[in-house]
């Protein structure tokens, strides 16, 4: 009876449809309510906690140590390879690549000054000839350690040819002794000679009815005069005949032989014998670093090693250090001098200062002691072994050179040189080291710095000479202007030599050393003791020229630490 639409309206479906649609539209446009994040689960006692790994201090130190050792080993391997396999050298020739004449530089000597010049010189710029009767460089600061066996003699020797082979240009070496120099002709006369540890200097001769030494002459453009000095005896009677020196390798061998000859001879005499006491007395004259270090080394040897082989000898054998000045190590800080004297007192090393040697015979040293009041007293010091380690004097060749030059007439203790190390009165002879007389001390440190300077100076002279040659060969005005400017700059770069004192080191026994160091112009460091002893060793190793000698010296120290020094005569 009702229609379909009427029934839907009556049931309310038609009324509800618009409302539902409105709610749907509202729901679709309404911003959703944010849902809070789910909290992380609380770890139970059975759930493992992952922690960030940390490297411990000791583990980090261990790793850094290993890395340092590996790096040092790699660097050492590289240095050894480089020393054993040097680069090819440029051969000597009469002309340079630019057509200019290649000049000849003759280096006379194989000590600190000569070898420093050779090592730092660009040998491709010159025809370089080295002349020396000694075909090796001797590291003299460690020579006092040789007579006692602390260091083997071969460990402090670098062959001249090995040093020359490491330079960029070919170097000729002649084992010979210079007998005469003609300054006017720029000519050097040489004679072959060699050293023998047992018989001294002898000459190799040519066979025949009348054997004659091998003599030759060399022309030079520049002469590097670096023959060093000889030990000065100051005219004291008996020194030259009875005392041993400490300047060459043969000297160290003689001192060691004398020590053991007197020790073995003393064993045949009664213990209360005066002759036995004399034989077991070692006297070292000279309170500089060489004398102090030798006396300290011998005292260590007696107390630490000989006492094991000859029981009781440490109480019988004595070491006396004699110095004419009021102090030993006179160039050091006064506190270090006092420290050295206190160490000597603990070691029972007999130190005698203000004691001037007047005469020596085959058994005694006769000296005069200056007392505090000004009075003097004559003393007699018996000895079995006497070492003279003080004073330098000019060699005969140095005197012969000075006699040829008017400007050298007043030279008594060595050649007089200018600010560029050029010998006064010459234009082609450079002198350096102990053969000269300057305001600088006659030490290895001075000669080393002079050699470095001279190598640089010779390189600058070569550049100036090349520019002058190019100017003489050139005709282009613009080129000439540029070359002249370069020449002016090259000449202006030539500066005088200036010595920079870096300090001094000395070993004083019982694994102690003193160091008086200078750091530039603003700081001085004076120290002594066991840590200074380690610095003394490391400083000397770093100063050595070759990797081979550095390794050998360190090996010798390790060997002595483990096995001790031996008691053989040789």
């Amino acid at each position: 009876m009702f229609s379909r639409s009427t029934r839907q309206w009556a049931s309310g479906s038609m009324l509800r449809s618009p409302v539902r649609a409105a709610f749907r539209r509202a729901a679709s446009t309404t911003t959703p309510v944010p849902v809070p994040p789910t909290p992380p689960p609380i770890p139970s006692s059975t759930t493992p906690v992952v922690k960030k790994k940390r490297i411990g201090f000791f583990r980090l130190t261990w790793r850094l140590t290993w890395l340092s050792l590996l790096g040092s080993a790699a660097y050492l391997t590289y240095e050894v390879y480089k020393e054993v396999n040097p680069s090819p050298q440029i051969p000597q020739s009469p002309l340079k690549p630019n057509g200019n004449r290649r000049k000849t530089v003759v280096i006379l000597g194989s000590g600190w000054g000569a070898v420093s010049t050779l090592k730092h010189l660009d040998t491709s710029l010159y025809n370089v000839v080295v002349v020396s009767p000694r075909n090796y460089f001797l590291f003299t600061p460690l020579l006092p350690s040789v007579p006692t066996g602390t260091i083997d003699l071969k460990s402090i020797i670098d062959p001249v040819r090995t040093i020359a082979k490491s330079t960029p240009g070919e170097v000729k070496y002649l084992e010979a002794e210079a007998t005469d120099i003609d300054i006017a002709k720029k000519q050097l006369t040489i004679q072959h000679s060699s050293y023998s540890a047992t018989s001294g200097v002898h000459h190799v001769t040519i066979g025949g009815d009348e054997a004659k030494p091998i003599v030759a002459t060399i022309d030079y453009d520049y002469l590097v005069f670096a023959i060093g000095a000889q030990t000065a005896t100051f005219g004291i009677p008996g020194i030259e005949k009875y005392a041993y020196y400490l300047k060459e390798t043969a000297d160290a061998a003689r001192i060691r032989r004398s020590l053991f000859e007197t020790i073995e001879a003393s064993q045949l005499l009664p213990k209360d014998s005066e002759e036995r006491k004399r034989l077991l007395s070692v006297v070292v004259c000279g309170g500089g670093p060489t004398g102090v270090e030798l006396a300290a080394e011998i005292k260590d040897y007696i107390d630490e090693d000989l006492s094991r082989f000859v029981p009781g000898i440490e109480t019988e054998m004595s070491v006396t250090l004699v110095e004419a000045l009021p102090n030993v190590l006179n160039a050091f800080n006064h506190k270090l001098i006092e420290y050295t004297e206190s160490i000597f007192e603990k070691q029972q090393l007999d130190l005698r200062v203000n004691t001037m040697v007047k005469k020596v015979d085959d058994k005694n040293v006769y000296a005069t002691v200056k007392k505090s009041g000004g009075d003097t007293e004559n003393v007699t010091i018996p000895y079995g072994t006497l070492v003279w380690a003080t004073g330098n004097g000019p060699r005969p060749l140095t005197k012969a050179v000075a006699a040829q030059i008017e400007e050298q007439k007043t030279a008594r203790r060595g050649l007089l040189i200018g600010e560029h190390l050029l010998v006064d009165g010459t234009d082609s002879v450079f002198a350096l080291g102990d053969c000269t007389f300057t305001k600088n001390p006659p030490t290895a440190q001075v000669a080393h710095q002079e050699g470095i300077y001279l190598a640089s100076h010779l390189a600058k002279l070569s550049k100036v000479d090349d520019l002058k040659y190019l100017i003489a060969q050139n005709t282009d005005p613009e080129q000439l202007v540029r070359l002249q400017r370069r020449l002016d700059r090259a000449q202006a770069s030539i500066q005088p030599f200036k010595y920079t004192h870096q300090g001094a080191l000395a070993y004083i026994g019982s694994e102690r050393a003193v160091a008086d160091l200078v750091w530039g112009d603003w700081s001085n460091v004076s120290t002594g003791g066991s840590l200074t002893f380690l610095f003394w060793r490391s400083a000397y190793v770093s100063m050595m020229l070759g990797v081979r000698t550095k390794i050998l010296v360190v090996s010798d120290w390790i060997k002595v630490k483990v096995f001790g020094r031996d008691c053989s005569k040789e």
Side-chain angles (χ1 to χ4, degrees), residues 17 151 154 191 310 368 387 460 522 548 555:
S17 296
I151 290 177
K154 286 289 186 180
Q191 179 175 285
V310 188
T368 301
V387 181
K460 293 175 181 178
W522 53 273
R548 182 188 68 88
S555 301

Side-chain angles (χ1 to χ4, degrees), residues 295-297 299-300 303-304 314 340-350 507-512:
E297 286 278 1
K299 186 60 178 174
D300 283 351
D303 295 341
E304 298 171 6
E314 69 277 10
T340 301
E341 293 174 351
S342 67
I343 294 297
F344 283 171
E345 186 176 356
K346 291 179 181 178
Q347 294 175 318
Q348 296 182 348
L349 192 153
D350 186 13
Y507 177 65
I508 59 174
S510 299
E511 295 192 346
R512 291 179 173 85

Side-chain angles (χ1 to χ4, degrees), residues 301-437:
Y301 187 37
I302 295 169
D303 295 341
E304 298 171 6
D305 298 283
L306 286 181
S307 58
R308 294 188 292 115
F309 301 109
V310 188
I313 196 171
E314 69 277 10
T315 60
E316 292 188 84
M317 201 165 182
S318 64
V319 179
T320 303
L321 181 61
V322 178
E323 170 55 42
L325 297 176
N327 304 301
V328 293
L329 301 177
N330 197 50
F332 283 69
N333 184 284
H334 187 69
K335 292 183 179 179
L336 295 181
I337 295 174
E338 293 178 349
Y339 177 73
T340 301
E341 293 174 351
S342 67
I343 294 297
F344 283 171
E345 186 176 356
K346 291 179 181 178
Q347 294 175 318
Q348 296 182 348
L349 192 153
D350 186 13
L351 175 61
R352 302 196 183 192
V353 296
N354 285 319
T355 304
M356 183 171 292
V357 177
K358 295 296 184 181
K359 186 178 68 170
V360 171
D361 61 21
D362 60 339
K363 293 183 179 180
N364 298 296
V365 175
Y366 303 94
T368 301
V369 180
K370 184 178 180 181
K371 296 186 177 181
S372 57
D375 298 333
T376 59
E377 178 186 1
N378 295 326
V379 295
T380 301
I381 309 173
Y383 73 87
T385 299
L386 174 63
V387 181
W388 186 260
T390 180
N392 287 327
R395 295 184 182 274
L397 184 61
T398 305
K399 296 178 181 178
V401 170
Q404 299 183 44
I405 306 168
E406 184 65 30
E407 288 82 355
Q408 301 290 330
K409 295 299 182 181
T410 58
R412 295 291 180 268
R413 297 167 59 183
L415 295 176
L416 305 177
I417 58 176
E419 58 183 7
H420 298 108
L421 307 184
L422 195 66
V423 175
D424 291 348
T426 72
D427 60 355
S428 59
V429 180
F430 296 94
L432 63 163
D434 294 350
C435 62
T436 64
F437 177 65

Side-chain angles (χ1 to χ4, degrees), residues 209-230:
D209 296 334
E210 294 182 2
K212 296 181 179 179
I214 303 175
V215 179
T217 59
I218 303 175
D219 295 324
Y220 65 84
D221 293 290
Y222 294 121
L223 176 65
V224 179
F225 193 85
I227 65 172
Q230 62 185 7

Side-chain angles (χ1 to χ4, degrees), residues 19-142:
V19 175
R20 289 178 180 174
F23 273 107
R24 290 192 189 101
R25 288 193 297 270
S28 62
T29 57
T30 304
T31 303
V33 179
V35 180
T38 305
I42 300 174
S44 62
S45 58
T46 60
T47 305
V49 180
V50 180
K51 294 183 178 180
K52 192 175 182 180
K53 290 185 178 180
R54 292 184 179 179
I55 300 177
F57 172 76
F58 292 105
R59 183 177 296 179
L60 179 62
T61 304
W62 180 254
R63 291 182 179 179
L64 291 176
T65 302
W66 268 108
L67 287 174
S68 300
L69 290 175
L70 289 174
S72 300
Y75 175 75
L76 185 62
T77 303
Y78 168 74
E79 289 294 324
V80 170
Y81 177 82
K82 189 170 67 172
E83 184 171 303
V84 175
N85 301 278
S87 302
Q89 292 181 305
I90 300 172
Q92 294 191 359
S93 62
L95 298 177
K96 293 183 180 181
N98 60 8
N100 191 18
R101 186 177 73 88
R102 192 187 300 270
K103 292 184 176 181
T104 299
V105 171
V106 176
I107 300 176
L108 198 57
S110 58
W112 278 97
V115 169
S116 295
T117 304
L118 173 63
K119 188 175 177 63
H120 294 89
L121 178 63
D122 184 354
T123 52
S124 65
L125 302 175
Y126 295 95
N127 291 327
V128 180
V129 181
V130 178
V131 177
S132 175
R134 191 180 71 182
N135 69 347
Y136 57 84
F137 166 73
L138 176 64
F139 190 79
T140 51
L142 288 178

Side-chain angles (χ1 to χ4, degrees), residues 236-273:
I236 300 174
I239 293 294
E240 188 172 352
K241 184 176 181 180
Y242 299 110
Y244 296 105
Y245 305 145
L246 190 59
K247 289 187 75 71
E248 301 292 343
T249 56
D251 297 333
R254 293 189 188 104
I255 293 171
R256 182 176 180 86
R257 196 175 299 114
S258 175
L259 284 173
F260 279 98
E261 285 176 352
T262 55
I263 290 172
E264 300 299 350
S266 69
Q267 302 306 301
L268 305 178
L269 300 172
K271 284 193 174 182
D272 57 350
S273 167

